[in-house]
């Protein structure tokens, strides 16, 4: 635990901020009073996985309003500090019967990660793993380049991820919690699930911080 004096100095020079709006908050607070109403709510979305049943994805927010703003800042405005908050909240909301062996994240290409400086889904997943007391492992990688998903239609999203991901042998016989930042159509999570199961994973459970609003799914 951080010494109170060091905690005071850390807050003085690097004050904690509300993950949703960016306002400075007091030490020990998670959000500002204005954003305290944004409480996580566990939701489930079926994923379109062929030849392996119909797994689903857990999520805790809808991708709109201040949640959307926070995720966009995390992804595109160099604010990775938002990720641990989302990871902890996601882990806290998962049902107690969820008992994975390991946590992993949807990967980015090496070039994309180098340009951004981090993989936000990995940051979220690492925080979730720490909250759950589980190891984080990199079990997936991008085997080839593809187009950015958010500019594509639902049908194009599924085609765009086919054959893009590959799983590592360490996935064998593991019960895996797979985490991403946003689930829109579920195409990326479904494809990652497919390759993990093909590699020999015992099971894959998917979770995301936010689900796209219904008209966008």
């Amino acid at each position: 635990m951080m010494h109170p004096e060091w905690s005071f100095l850390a807050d003085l020079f690097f004050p904690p901020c509300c993950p949703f709006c960016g306002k400075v908050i007091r030490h020990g607070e998670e959000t500002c009073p204005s954003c305290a109403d944004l409480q996580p709510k566990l939701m489930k979305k079926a994923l379109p996985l062929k030849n392996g049943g119909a797994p689903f994805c857990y999520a805790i927010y809808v991708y709109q309003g201040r949640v959307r703003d926070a995720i966009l800042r995390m992804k595109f405005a160099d604010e990775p500090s938002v990720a641990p908050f989302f990871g902890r909240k996601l882990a806290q909301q998962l049902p107690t019967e969820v008992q994975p062996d390991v946590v992993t994240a949807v990967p980015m290409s090496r070039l994309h990660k180098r340009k951004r400086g981090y993989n936000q889904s990995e940051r979220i997943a690492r925080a979730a793993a720490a909250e759950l007391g589980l190891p984080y492992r990199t079990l997936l990688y991008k085997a080839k380049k593809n187009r950015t998903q958010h500019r594509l239609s639902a049908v194009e999203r599924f085609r765009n991820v086919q054959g893009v991901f590959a799983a590592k042998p360490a996935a064998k016989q593991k019960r895996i919690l797979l985490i991403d930042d946003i689930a829109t159509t579920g195409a990326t999570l479904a494809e990652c699930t497919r390759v993990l199961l093909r590699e020999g994973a015992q099971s894959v459970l998917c979770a995301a911080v936010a689900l796209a609003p219904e008209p966008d799914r």
Side-chain angles (χ1 to χ4, degrees):
M1 181 178 295
M2 185 180 293
H3 190 280
E5 184 177 341
W6 288 111
S7 178
F8 169 78
L9 291 173
D11 288 351
L12 181 64
F13 292 102
F14 306 100
C17 295
C18 175
F20 296 110
C21 68
K23 292 180 181 177
V24 174
I25 56 178
R26 291 181 295 184
H27 179 73
E29 292 181 334
E30 288 192 309
T31 68
C32 72
S34 299
C35 294
D37 62 315
L38 292 171
Q39 295 298 315
K41 178 183 177 182
L42 193 66
M43 299 171 281
K44 279 171 64 171
K45 169 185 172 59
L47 294 179
L49 182 67
K50 298 178 181 178
N51 303 321
F56 54 85
C57 173
Y58 285 113
I60 55 173
Y61 295 106
V62 177
Y63 184 61
Q64 61 187 12
R66 286 167 288 173
V67 172
R68 179 179 181 274
D69 293 342
I71 291 176
L72 289 176
R73 292 201 320 274
M74 176 179 62
K75 294 179 70 167
F76 303 117
D78 195 23
E79 292 192 29
S81 59
V82 176
F85 169 83
F86 283 136
R88 290 193 304 272
K89 288 297 179 184
L90 186 57
Q92 291 164 6
Q93 293 296 313
L94 290 176
T96 54
E97 63 266 24
V98 174
Q99 295 184 338
D101 304 312
V102 65
V103 182
T104 196
V106 171
M108 296 170 65
S109 69
R110 290 183 180 180
L111 178 60
H112 196 179
K113 186 176 180 179
R114 188 160 58 244
K115 286 182 177 179
R116 182 169 296 174
Y118 55 90
N119 176 355
Q120 72 283 347
S121 295
E122 180 182 330
R123 294 284 182 100
I124 294 165
R126 286 184 179 276
E131 184 72 19
L132 293 167
L134 295 171
Y136 174 88
R137 298 287 184 269
T138 302
L139 299 179
L140 291 159
Y141 62 94
K142 292 194 78 170
K144 67 178 185 179
K145 294 173 62 176
N146 64 333
R147 298 162 64 192
T148 302
Q149 287 282 84
H150 71 271
R151 298 182 184 276
L152 304 179
S153 69
V155 173
E156 289 173 329
R157 285 171 186 254
F158 285 97
R159 293 173 179 166
N160 190 49
V161 295
Q162 297 303 304
V164 167
F165 302 102
K168 297 184 177 182
K172 284 183 172 63
Q173 300 302 313
K174 294 292 193 300
R175 295 174 297 176
I176 299 168
L177 174 60
L178 170 64
I179 291 180
D180 203 359
D181 53 358
I182 310 164
T184 305
T185 61
T188 298
L189 286 167
E191 179 65 9
C192 287
T193 297
R194 187 183 69 81
V195 299
L196 285 168
L197 293 173
R198 185 180 63 190
E199 187 61 40
Q202 182 176 328
S203 64
V204 181
L205 180 65
C206 298
V209 172
L211 291 180
E214 285 293 347
D216 295 333
R217 295 183 208 166

